[in-house]
Amino acid sequence: MNEFILVVFDETREVIIDDNPSGNDTGVVIELEAGTHTISLAGDQNFSPLEQDVNPTGTTPITPHEVKFTKV
Amino acid sequence: MKTLNKIAILVLFLLLTGCAHYLENDRKLIYEDDYGYRYLPKAQTTDQDKIYVVLAFSGGGTRAAALSYGVMEKLKDTPIQNGSKVLLDEVDIISSVSGGSFTAAYYGLFGDQLFSDFKDKFLYRDIQGELAQKVANPANWFRLMSPDFNRIDLAIELYDETIFERKTYQDLVNNGRQPFIALNATNLTTGSQFTFTQPTFDILGSDLSTLPVARAVASSSAFPFLLSPVSFINHEASSGFELNKDITNGLKDKYNGRNPRRYIWAYNQSIYHDDKTKHPYLHLMDGGLSDNIGVRYIADNFNRSSGFVFVRKSVIQELVLIVVNAKTQPPEHLDEDESPPNLFDVAYKTATVSMDNYSFDSIQMVSDLLQVSERFAQVMLACQAEIDAKCNPGFQLAPMGHSFKVTVVEINFLNVQDQAQRERLLSLPTSFRLTQEQVDELISVGGELLDQSEAFDKLLNRIR
């Protein structure tokens, strides 16, 4: 069963999943397989935290797991 | 005189065993993330990725190779985008097993030359007979006495010299890696799929570039009992190499976590990096033992965060999967006899039953995976349309990161309409020796089955 995340940041950045460029930007719903994933952003490291481990459960495309990064 | 003969035989033995160049996979001292036969970076394929065509070629000896050839010939003759190109130009990956690997590897190395010389170089040949002749040749008996030289090495020599012209994976790199050829074998220790790509060899601390393509094809088609496994060295880790976080996160979740399939995938790779002392070598056999269709490699790369299809989902508009399944259903007479099957029959069944049992499930699994993903994007669009029409104008749902149409076509003899022809094709043997007439019929049927597919027709209406 796949899950869905939505990465939120003040700027549009490519989302990095498990150290791999995902091909998707912040602000869009990303489908990914169940399990633990390490989420980060491409570009300048002017955000906090620098990476987050998530393990979303029971998500849908309309109710994705939100992963927020704050600009520093 | 007798002493002279003995010396001559000894010299001959030493010479021949000395020539038995047991090819080893070379070590890679320093890891480079852009080195070797790996999928091109996304930035280099953006235009190519809009129509994303994946071919999966099953096992089945010359039968599978010829059927795959027929499908490729049809794609070559299918114009798209107002005739500016043909559908074959849009093929991005060919994932293959066993017999299908001959066609895939040949196309990867020689491109359209496939259509001018592959029939004579492989399809029409009695490869089985040629291998038997090599084994019967007394000169090779000495070589076969060496622990470093096996029957499979004779097959590798034959493929290398007479089909693949001694090409290596560096030649595949030089050809531009489009389409990407994924030749699949089975790791005898883990029972899992082993795909010949540099990322797989990175884990072995090894350089795939110097490996003859024939050795990969032979691994992919090393039929149990008839041919011996192909062995590789698990070298010390290359300097700077670390396992991808997709793997380490998969391990972290454990088997009883939310994704045991990912855990097993991660575990089966990690042991060749984390426990090299216990796994200094690995031994490969026919890819059909783990997946006789070759679609699981596609599923992994579609779903895994480290997958090259995953990273392209946002740009793909048409996602096309054509599975060439050369499965047969030969007449079976075991049930007619009160006595249990003999050892030969049991060995043959043991080797082949598992190859075919899960092919249907594998195709269904990957088909569902792609189509559910397509459906999610459609649901999001429909939901937004409902909101716009009935609820709170101006409210925007976050858009889905992908939006592609999926086309899945399975080429299968069961879809042949003429009963006599269907039964004839379903009774073909699995061997590397078919008559020219049989090969020509398979090529023709491959194209016809693609042509009669409703899903394929709908696709062409969108992209023609």
Side-chain angles (χ1 to χ4, degrees):
Chain A
M1 179 63 76
N2 281 350
E3 299 290 345
F4 300 88
I5 62 167
L6 174 65
V7 181
V8 179
F9 186 56
D10 287 349
E11 297 170 9
T12 300
R13 294 277 184 91
E14 184 175 17
V15 175
I16 305 294
I17 304 178
D18 302 327
D19 286 350
N20 306 298
S22 72
N24 280 296
D25 289 339
T26 50
V28 305
V29 177
I30 302 170
E31 180 188 12
L32 76 180
E33 69 174 330
T36 300
H37 295 282
T38 305
I39 312 297
S40 185
L41 302 175
D44 293 341
Q45 295 201 327
N46 58 345
F47 54 85
S48 176
L50 286 177
E51 60 179 33
Q52 304 181 46
D53 278 1
V54 299
N55 191 346
T57 55
T59 61
T60 71
I62 295 166
T63 56
H65 179 92
E66 281 200 13
V67 186
K68 289 182 181 161
F69 289 93
T70 310
K71 198 167 180 182
V72 292
Chain B
M1 191 64 185
K2 277 184 179 174
T3 311
L4 208 62
N5 278 345
K6 280 179 184 169
I7 291 169
I9 288 170
L10 181 65
V11 168
L12 184 67
F13 173 77
L14 290 172
L15 278 173
L16 289 169
T17 51
C19 290
H21 50 289
Y22 177 58
L23 287 168
E24 295 174 347
N25 51 310
D26 290 332
R27 188 174 171 205
K28 180 95 173 75
L29 289 173
I30 299 170
Y31 168 72
E32 298 165 85
D33 62 5
D34 58 352
Y35 174 85
Y37 197 64
R38 63 185 77 237
Y39 208 92
L40 286 167
K42 187 186 162 206
Q44 291 181 34
T45 62
T46 307
D47 287 339
Q48 177 74 16
D49 291 339
K50 287 173 187 162
I51 299 174
Y52 202 86
V53 181
V54 179
L55 305 181
F57 294 165
S58 79
T62 301
R63 183 183 76 242
L67 191 67
S68 305
Y69 178 98
V71 168
M72 295 196 68
E73 198 172 55
K74 178 69 189 170
L75 295 176
K76 180 176 73 74
D77 296 336
T78 303
I80 58 167
Q81 296 174 345
N82 297 318
S84 61
K85 49 168 74 167
V86 294
L87 194 46
L88 188 61
D89 298 333
E90 290 290 345
V91 174
D92 298 278
I93 318 170
I94 306 177
S95 176
S96 64
V97 179
S98 200
S101 289
F102 285 85
T103 311
Y106 201 86
Y107 185 67
L109 286 170
F110 302 105
D112 280 351
Q113 206 179 311
L114 176 89
F115 303 109
S116 57
D117 59 19
F118 187 63
K119 285 181 188 171
D120 289 327
K121 268 182 128 173
F122 179 74
L123 295 176
Y124 290 156
R125 275 172 63 187
D126 177 4
I127 297 286
Q128 224 159 280
E130 291 177 42
L131 273 174
Q133 274 179 15
K134 267 185 165 278
V135 173
N137 184 345
N140 287 323
W141 297 351
F142 292 106
R143 304 170 76 197
L144 289 167
M145 284 159 66
S146 161
D148 287 342
F149 197 87
N150 292 306
R151 295 187 306 281
I152 192 70
D153 292 295
L154 289 177
I156 292 168
E157 277 185 358
L158 184 70
Y159 305 159
D160 198 32
E161 289 164 9
T162 67
I163 303 170
F164 298 110
E165 299 179 11
R166 299 186 185 280
K167 302 277 187 188
T168 65
Y169 268 87
Q170 185 58 48
D171 293 296
L172 280 175
V173 173
N174 296 344
N175 282 359
R177 293 176 270 172
Q178 240 1 82
F180 191 72
I181 308 298
L183 306 178
N184 297 292
T186 299
N187 179 331
L188 281 183
T189 296
T190 60
S192 59
Q193 194 168 57
F194 180 97
T195 308
F196 283 83
T197 65
Q198 185 56 47
T200 308
F201 274 62
D202 284 339
I203 295 171
L204 305 179
S206 185
D207 184 354
L208 178 62
S209 301
T210 54
L211 192 84
V213 173
R215 198 164 179 84
V217 173
S219 306
S220 178
S221 58
F223 192 79
F225 303 111
L226 290 181
L227 292 166
S228 41
V230 185
S231 303
F232 291 84
I233 297 173
N234 183 17
H235 291 283
E236 278 179 47
S238 307
S239 171
F241 175 74
E242 288 178 5
L243 289 174
N244 194 287
K245 215 163 212 170
D246 198 7
I247 294 176
T248 54
N249 276 339
L251 288 173
K252 204 190 289 178
D253 286 345
K254 308 289 184 195
Y255 182 71
N256 61 1
R258 295 204 49 244
N259 195 343
R261 189 164 180 263
R262 182 191 186 207
Y263 170 79
I264 294 291
W265 167 82
Y267 176 80
N268 286 340
Q269 294 180 81
S270 68
I271 56 173
Y272 288 95
H273 177 68
D274 294 340
D275 199 358
K276 284 182 181 279
T277 315
K278 204 172 174 188
H279 302 278
Y281 302 98
L282 69 160
H283 308 282
L284 306 181
M285 287 215 79
D286 198 301
L289 295 171
S290 52
D291 168 16
N292 202 28
I293 293 292
V295 291
R296 286 181 180 267
Y297 178 70
I298 306 302
D300 286 345
N301 275 288
F302 178 81
N303 224 24
R304 299 266 134 79
S305 62
S306 54
F308 52 75
V309 187
F310 182 88
V311 73
R312 289 166 166 81
K313 281 164 78 174
S314 59
V315 293
I316 295 172
Q317 295 170 2
E318 293 282 352
L319 181 53
V320 184
L321 170 63
I322 300 173
V323 180
V324 184
N325 184 0
K327 185 183 184 310
T328 53
Q329 289 178 346
E332 187 56 81
H333 301 290
L334 290 179
D335 291 349
E336 295 166 11
D337 201 337
E338 183 187 334
S339 310
N342 60 37
L343 195 61
F344 175 80
D345 284 337
V346 171
Y348 181 76
K349 281 286 170 191
T350 307
T352 56
V353 163
S354 63
M355 287 196 184
D356 285 334
N357 256 2
Y358 299 105
S359 294
F360 171 78
D361 282 348
S362 296
I363 296 168
Q364 206 56 48
M365 179 273 290
V366 74
S367 176
D368 288 348
L369 182 69
L370 304 184
Q371 286 174 350
V372 165
S373 193
E374 175 191 34
R375 185 70 58 85
F376 279 135
Q378 288 171 348
V379 166
M380 288 288 277
L381 289 173
C383 204
Q384 184 66 56
E386 283 291 300
I387 290 170
D388 291 346
K390 295 177 184 166
C391 300
N392 183 9
F395 181 78
Q396 289 290 312
L397 291 168
M400 195 72 181
H402 67 262
S403 173
F404 44 70
K405 288 192 167 17
V406 171
T407 302
V408 178
V409 179
E410 182 188 349
I411 304 300
N412 190 315
F413 297 138
L414 290 172
N415 291 332
V416 171
Q417 285 164 357
D418 180 80
Q419 188 183 343
Q421 186 184 33
R422 184 171 64 246
E423 285 173 4
R424 185 168 60 248
L425 292 166
L426 285 169
S427 302
L428 284 173
T430 298
S431 77
F432 284 123
R433 172 178 47 207
L434 292 179
T435 66
Q436 190 166 326
E437 195 181 18
Q438 287 170 323
V439 168
D440 288 342
E441 182 176 29
L442 284 160
I443 291 171
S444 163
V445 161
E448 286 163 20
L449 287 174
L450 189 57
D451 221 11
Q452 76 179 44
S453 159
E454 205 176 304
F456 188 66
D457 190 48
K458 283 182 182 167
L459 167 74
L460 291 185
N461 284 334
R462 293 197 296 272
I463 65 173
R464 212 193 285 274

